[in-house]
Amino acid sequence: MESSSDQFLEFHPIHGSNMRLDYTGTQATRVESFANGLCFSKQPLKPGEIFLIEIEEKELGWCGHLRVGLTAHDPAGMDAVPEYSLPDMMALGDSWIFAITRNHNKVPDEVAAEPRGGEAEAGEAAEGEGGRRLGGRVAGAGGEEEAAALARVAALARQLEANSRPKSFFVDTHLHIEDFRIPLEKLVGRSRPGRFSHILDDLYKSNALPPTARRSRIGVLYVPRGGGRADMHIVINGEDMGASAKGLPADRPLYAVVDVFAATKTVRIVQVEYGFSSLQTLCRKTIQKHIVHRMALDWLELPEALKHYCKYE
């Protein structure tokens, strides 16, 4: 299913006391301290619609980074914007917010029980006789625990095998999350043009840089799962981190939450085109396909506005 959205995404005018929005409503900057940096999407997100931001500027001297998530609270109806997303916003309930890392924001998949086969039946027969057969899968007291442990090992082996398969990131045009397809082009961060920008671009594409590095792009969305519930996913530079939270109320409006915290100082919203590309985007794709690197754009006889668009987007 192709994600669709006809709304221009902006930050909500209600935000933390230390935040300032630019005139477009798409760039948010924390002007002092390290807290009171909460921002929200102006409108609730649609199913499969990603709220994508890019880290524009960082500030040295603080410990901690960007936090993102979703909330069922309408910012316009809040008595006061919490100072922190964690734990203050979470304490309000109906909010699901995570610090941006690659390792701590995924809900562990439940391990399904192994199918009952001949070995399991043989183990049960041995258990009924009150003894343990060598090589048997389960026998005697503690057989259920042993079977569960083996199931976990088997699940881990399958996961490692899946992770070892070559990824098709560099050939895929869309990121697939359940039934939704999101264009990959805008999801990956890009460096500013410079002497080593071609190296940095490859690092962004391979997601080798820290997730909160300058120019990283981080998105949040929710995917309905049936029964009025949904899963929240966080995407870092085009890579889906998996379901960060489950059981969200899909029948309630869900707003994106961005906490411009500590070392993160400025973020901007990146608009994603879900349907047919605009003429401007098609021109950019055609030009970029025929050049070795973005710096080569300076040698082409093109309008400066088009050069700028091709370099930075």
Side-chain angles (χ1 to χ4, degrees):
M1 180 187 301
E2 190 86 31
S3 300
S4 61
S5 175
D6 55 0
Q7 63 180 344
F8 183 79
L9 296 179
E10 302 174 64
F11 286 114
H12 202 284
I14 303 297
H15 50 71
S17 59
N18 285 335
M19 296 305 298
R20 299 293 182 271
L21 305 183
D22 72 346
Y23 70 96
T24 66
T26 62
Q27 181 171 291
T29 301
R30 195 186 67 252
V31 294
E32 62 177 311
S33 184
F34 63 93
N36 287 302
L38 261 70
C39 294
F40 308 93
S41 59
K42 189 173 183 179
Q43 302 292 338
L45 299 184
K46 299 177 181 178
E49 179 183 29
I50 188 169
F51 191 82
L52 183 66
I53 59 169
E54 179 177 284
I55 299 176
E56 286 277 293
E57 187 178 353
K58 304 195 70 175
E59 186 173 31
L60 299 177
W62 300 114
C63 181
H65 297 279
L66 185 74
R67 299 159 175 184
V68 302
L70 297 172
T71 182
H73 295 280
D74 185 347
M78 299 175 65
D79 295 332
V81 177
E83 184 177 7
Y84 303 99
S85 60
L86 301 171
D88 299 0
M89 187 77 191
M90 293 284 286
L92 298 178
D94 293 331
S95 297
W96 304 265
I97 304 167
F98 293 85
I100 293 302
T101 69
R102 287 201 182 94
N103 302 318
H104 306 295
N105 55 7
K106 182 176 180 180
V107 177
D109 295 328
E110 295 181 1
V111 179
E114 287 289 316
R116 298 169 64 86
E119 286 186 338
E121 293 173 358
E124 289 174 355
E127 182 180 358
E129 296 171 1
R132 175 183 295 272
R133 178 161 49 190
L134 292 177
R137 206 166 151 190
V138 291
E144 293 182 359
E145 290 81 357
E146 184 178 349
L150 289 173
R152 286 194 294 270
V153 171
L156 179 60
R158 288 194 297 270
Q159 183 177 357
L160 291 174
E161 181 183 0
N163 292 340
S164 65
R165 293 173 189 152
K167 299 188 182 211
S168 55
F169 179 86
F170 294 101
V171 296
D172 284 347
T173 59
H174 289 74
L175 174 66
H176 297 262
I177 302 180
E178 301 298 335
D179 295 331
F180 293 96
R181 300 170 64 235
I182 306 172
L184 265 175
E185 183 188 25
K186 288 290 186 76
L187 300 183
V188 182
R190 305 187 70 185
S191 65
R192 291 302 188 192
R195 185 176 179 183
F196 301 107
S197 56
H198 61 292
I199 299 176
L200 289 173
D201 286 348
D202 288 340
L203 292 176
Y204 283 118
K205 289 179 181 179
S206 60
N207 215 353
L209 292 175
T212 53
R214 198 162 172 260
R215 305 300 171 205
S216 280
R217 293 187 177 182
I218 295 138
V220 61
L221 69 153
Y222 72 93
V223 177
R225 302 290 291 176
R229 295 294 170 180
D231 293 348
M232 183 182 82
H233 287 248
I234 291 176
V235 177
I236 300 177
N237 285 320
E239 183 179 352
D240 176 25
M241 296 293 105
S244 301
K246 296 185 177 183
L248 280 69
D251 53 353
R252 295 179 59 187
L254 295 173
Y255 295 81
V257 180
V258 178
D259 189 356
V260 186
F261 179 71
T264 305
K265 184 176 179 64
T266 301
V267 298
R268 73 175 178 93
I269 299 174
V270 179
Q271 308 294 334
V272 178
E273 296 176 341
Y274 295 95
F276 293 106
S277 299
S278 65
L279 180 59
Q280 189 180 37
T281 299
L282 292 174
C283 288
R284 174 172 53 80
K285 288 181 178 179
T286 302
I287 293 169
Q288 291 176 339
K289 187 168 30 175
H290 290 86
I291 59 175
V292 176
H293 186 256
R294 284 181 291 160
M295 296 304 294
L297 287 166
D298 292 331
W299 307 330
L300 301 179
E301 296 183 0
L302 296 172
E304 288 301 320
L306 184 56
K307 287 183 181 180
H308 185 276
Y309 181 68
C310 291
K311 284 180 181 180
Y312 295 108
E313 291 296 330

